[in-house]
Amino acid sequence: VSLLINNTSKRFSFNLFTDSVSDEYRDALRVIAEKYHSKITLYTLDGDVFSQFPSTNAWSRATYFRFAAFEYLSDYIDRVMYIDADVICNNSIDEFYFEDINNFIAAVIPDVERNRIKAAERFSISEFCDSYFNAGVILLNLVKWKRKSCFEQALDILSNSKYNLAFLDQDVLNLIFRGDTVIMRRDFNCIYGMDRELIKKETYRDYIKKSTVLIHYVGLTKPWHEWAIDYESAQPFKRAFLESPWGNSSLVKASS
């Protein structure tokens, strides 16, 4: 919904990949598709397919669904914009979506500095200090994905214990895409942790600007948590939430 209300002149085709879905959720998607004249295709996957691959408390095996999504969609379309579920749109996506990636596998946005440095050390790849990207937002050239057999490469890396994977699929994609990406500016994946407003007393305005297109809400606190919905930084989410079929639903409460 955040994409739709900020890009009203566009007609979207959404592809949602998940391992479970309720009738209530399907009905809500129908409402969105009809209201905003968009197409939404829902795919349910068997998560056990990735059961042999590593997972953590922070990242379940559903994090690997993007590999299946990219491989499946590469048979039908040339490019796709992938966004994580904790990314909210705040502006037109035209500049990002229509970036020329014909000669590259993807357009990406660098991760925060500490993650780039750690990745460079972890893999002994110095260029990762600048080019290691966050996988929460990717504009992917699916033609090249298919041509380079990236799905097979991903499975090989995940199956090989020699790789010291800390960020799982993100590490995998960085290794596969190395040297073949267009680096885009922070506006297209503004990585923002709402917890910093409590801990460091920082202002969201240091991170989220008027020009920010996609806000990536990382960390423990999310804008759909009951205690966070009225944070100023949560307002792009709140607007979309109230416009959505879930606008009258309860938010997630604290459990401890």
Side-chain angles (χ1 to χ4, degrees):
V1 173
S2 72
L3 283 159
L4 291 162
I5 63 179
N6 284 288
N7 298 269
T8 55
S9 64
K10 300 293 182 294
R11 292 293 176 262
F12 282 84
S13 178
F14 295 99
N15 296 275
L16 276 63
F17 291 78
T18 183
D19 56 357
S20 64
V21 64
S22 66
D23 290 338
E24 179 185 16
Y25 187 72
R26 290 179 190 273
D27 291 341
L29 294 183
R30 290 190 184 97
V31 170
I32 294 170
E34 292 173 6
K35 180 178 180 180
Y36 297 101
H37 309 290
S38 57
K39 178 182 178 182
I40 304 176
T41 305
L42 182 66
Y43 306 84
T44 52
L45 304 179
D46 181 357
D48 290 342
V49 171
F50 299 103
S51 61
Q52 72 271 33
F53 298 137
S55 62
T56 68
N57 289 333
W59 296 290
S60 72
R61 292 185 178 91
T63 196
Y64 302 119
F65 285 6
R66 75 188 73 194
F67 295 148
F70 295 160
E71 184 67 10
Y72 177 82
L73 293 173
S74 68
D75 285 335
Y76 302 97
I77 56 178
D78 292 342
R79 67 164 57 191
V80 66
M81 187 178 79
Y82 171 84
I83 59 172
D84 275 352
D86 54 1
V87 173
I88 290 291
C89 185
N90 189 52
N91 256 313
S92 167
I93 62 167
D94 282 6
E95 185 181 350
F96 182 62
Y97 186 79
F98 293 108
E99 176 70 19
D100 183 2
I101 57 170
N102 288 331
N103 296 319
F104 299 90
I105 195 165
V108 295
I109 298 87
D111 207 338
V112 296
E113 184 179 20
R114 65 179 179 276
N115 288 345
R116 299 198 308 266
I117 292 173
K118 287 181 179 178
E121 294 171 349
R122 193 162 62 250
F123 297 110
S124 298
I125 299 175
S126 59
E127 67 196 70
F128 275 177
C129 286
D130 298 313
S131 65
Y132 182 86
F133 61 86
N134 180 278
V137 176
I138 300 173
L139 180 65
L140 183 62
N141 181 340
L142 290 171
V143 174
K144 207 165 188 183
W145 167 274
K146 195 78 167 180
R147 188 189 309 146
K148 293 181 66 173
S149 301
C150 290
F151 184 67
E152 290 77 9
Q153 288 190 59
L155 296 183
D156 287 345
I157 293 173
L158 287 168
S159 301
N160 194 326
S161 59
K162 79 172 185 178
Y163 292 100
N164 181 20
L165 302 178
F167 291 103
L168 306 183
D169 55 306
Q170 179 168 291
D171 282 348
V172 171
L173 290 174
N174 271 275
L175 290 170
I176 295 173
F177 294 178
R178 180 184 175 190
D180 198 14
T181 59
V182 177
I183 302 297
M184 304 291 285
R185 69 177 187 274
R186 177 64 59 202
D187 283 341
F188 303 113
N189 185 0
C190 176
I191 299 171
Y192 181 72
M194 301 179 77
D195 300 308
R196 72 175 71 242
E197 294 183 37
L198 297 174
I199 299 170
K200 297 184 179 180
K201 305 301 182 184
E202 295 179 356
T203 172
Y204 77 100
R205 292 186 180 88
D206 293 334
Y207 299 86
I208 301 172
K209 312 292 185 181
K210 284 187 177 180
S211 61
T212 299
V213 177
L214 295 169
I215 306 167
H216 191 172
Y217 293 101
V218 300
L220 297 175
T221 298
K222 303 294 187 182
W224 53 84
H225 286 137
E226 188 177 58
W227 65 91
I229 190 67
D230 288 322
Y231 285 16
E232 287 189 71
S233 59
Q235 296 318 292
F237 167 82
K238 186 176 182 179
R239 179 187 171 206
F241 175 69
L242 294 176
E243 292 270 357
S244 78
W246 296 278
N248 292 321
S249 302
S250 298
L251 297 162
V252 179
K253 297 180 183 295
S255 59
S256 68

